[in-house]
Amino acid sequence: MTTLFISHPASLNHSNGPGHPERPDRLRAIESVLEQEKFQPLIRVQPEPADIEAVTLCHPRDYVEAIKEAAPKEGMVQLDADTSMSPGSWEAALRAVGGAMLAVDEVVTKKAANAFVAHRPPGHHAETVRPMGFCIFNQAAIAARHAQRKHGLNRVAVVDFDVHHGNGTQEIFWSDPTLMYCSTHQMPLYPGTGALSECGDHDNIVNAPLRPGDGGAQFKEALTSRILPRLQAFGPELIIMSAGFDAHQRDPLANLQFVEDDFAWATRKIMEVADKTADGSVVSVLEGGYDLQGLSLSAAAHVIALMRG
């Protein structure tokens, strides 16, 4: 078994407008770096779009239908101050969900060792009935519920190392003791959630906020002392990574000082927990990362770690 790389050209057709940091070139940068010879062993597949029924695992049907109706035939539509839809956004969002679900299917059934899903728009800010922060549907959360519904898993965890707190995943998981959400993120920063005191109804939310200017040492301490022990105690049968690379020191939207090796280290540590509790089952879903060089270098380091390189 080897690592699965899931992407689709439809992701390039989602536009937030000129000058927006969440842009199609993000995916082009990742796909370009993964063309290097060392990534030839990757299994590369394209997903089908998710159906509306799958999206309703986390979002009510009327919300999903409202998003579908909002999708423009031309031009742009603003869903909130920084989240837009273009004519290609509806398909892109459904394929992002479909890619995360396909990754779960292939990894849980042992057809692949693990998977990296490179799609846009990202998802971790999308709440149950609220698009925000460049996000429309929460594909990491949907993938977790899909793993439970289709494959009968009892406990699934999402570990999020995007520089922005995944308020959407936290909100969706808050009252569900079968799901755990763990996050490192910069505070204060958008969206303003993610305090240590936010623990969920069943102590199933684990936040480890970092200060502006923190780097790899503080990141490793947060993971080692706070997140990894709680994650292992929860005993997930699948770990989904919300893999944002905007904590990189080059990123324009935040103030953390990670380098690509920090993301590789974190990936390996999370995989070590998965080896103990989940027979190695790990799915990684792209979130943020807005400096193209920082993004491509970090994604490459992340995928090498997934490949156990």
Side-chain angles (χ1 to χ4, degrees):
M1 291 193 299
T2 189
T3 296
L4 194 63
F5 175 61
I6 299 176
S7 64
H8 194 280
S11 288
L12 300 173
N13 298 328
H14 165 61
S15 174
N16 288 296
H20 197 286
E22 205 294 284
R23 59 204 191 276
D25 280 347
R26 298 179 61 235
L27 281 191
R28 294 188 182 103
I30 291 173
E31 289 169 350
S32 178
V33 77
L34 295 185
E35 289 173 359
Q36 296 176 16
E37 185 175 353
K38 60 187 173 183
F39 296 109
Q40 292 308 305
L42 290 172
I43 302 171
R44 299 165 190 264
V45 298
Q46 296 182 353
E48 295 297 319
D51 59 29
I52 288 178
E53 195 66 33
V55 182
T56 63
L57 288 170
C58 290
H59 303 286
R61 182 174 293 274
D62 58 354
Y63 170 81
V64 182
E65 294 288 356
I67 294 292
K68 182 179 181 181
E69 290 300 314
K73 290 184 169 56
E74 58 183 26
M76 304 285 299
V77 169
Q78 289 292 131
L79 300 179
D80 79 345
D82 53 18
T83 309
S84 307
M85 292 187 78
S86 65
S89 299
W90 173 250
E91 180 185 357
L94 290 182
R95 287 197 189 267
V97 174
M101 293 169 59
L102 174 61
V104 167
D105 293 341
E106 297 295 289
V107 170
V108 171
T109 60
K110 300 303 176 187
K111 295 176 184 174
N114 50 45
F116 177 51
V117 185
H119 277 273
R120 48 184 297 278
H124 72 154
H125 292 308
E127 297 183 347
T128 305
V129 294
R130 183 185 183 193
M132 59 183 288
F134 316 159
C135 303
I136 297 172
F137 300 136
N138 195 316
Q139 44 262 32
I142 294 168
R145 289 251 169 90
H146 172 71
Q148 293 180 316
R149 182 185 69 169
K150 182 172 181 178
H151 300 285
L153 301 191
N154 294 308
R155 294 175 308 283
V156 180
V158 170
V159 181
D160 187 341
F161 48 77
D162 191 281
V163 80
H164 302 95
H165 181 249
N167 58 291
T169 313
Q170 174 171 291
E171 183 257 348
I172 292 167
F173 284 14
W174 188 267
S175 299
D176 191 336
T178 71
L179 297 170
M180 172 171 273
Y181 176 68
C182 305
S183 176
T184 60
H185 48 274
Q186 180 181 323
M187 284 192 75
L189 193 66
Y190 180 91
T193 52
L196 286 169
S197 59
E198 298 168 18
C199 299
D201 286 342
H202 304 278
D203 204 27
N204 58 321
I205 305 295
V206 187
N207 286 307
L210 301 169
R211 296 181 178 89
D214 281 353
Q218 292 83 7
F219 178 45
K220 291 174 181 178
E221 170 63 20
L223 273 177
T224 302
S225 66
R226 182 160 177 82
I227 286 179
L228 295 175
R230 292 285 304 279
L231 183 65
Q232 185 164 328
F234 179 67
E237 297 159 279
L238 170 69
I239 298 176
I240 298 170
M241 297 188 215
S242 271
F245 301 108
D246 40 5
H248 193 279
Q249 61 186 4
R250 292 179 56 92
D251 202 274
L253 297 192
N255 308 102
L256 295 186
Q257 300 298 312
F258 295 8
V259 296
E260 48 269 24
D261 286 347
D262 296 323
F263 296 108
W265 177 89
T267 303
R268 290 192 295 268
K269 286 298 184 182
I270 294 165
M271 290 171 68
E272 286 176 9
V273 176
D275 287 343
K276 294 174 183 175
T277 71
D279 197 22
S281 295
V282 167
V283 166
S284 173
V285 178
L286 178 66
E287 299 287 359
Y290 305 103
D291 176 82
L292 298 184
Q293 182 179 338
L295 171 63
S296 61
L297 292 173
S298 300
H302 175 62
V303 173
I304 284 290
L306 288 173
M307 296 169 68
R308 299 187 184 268

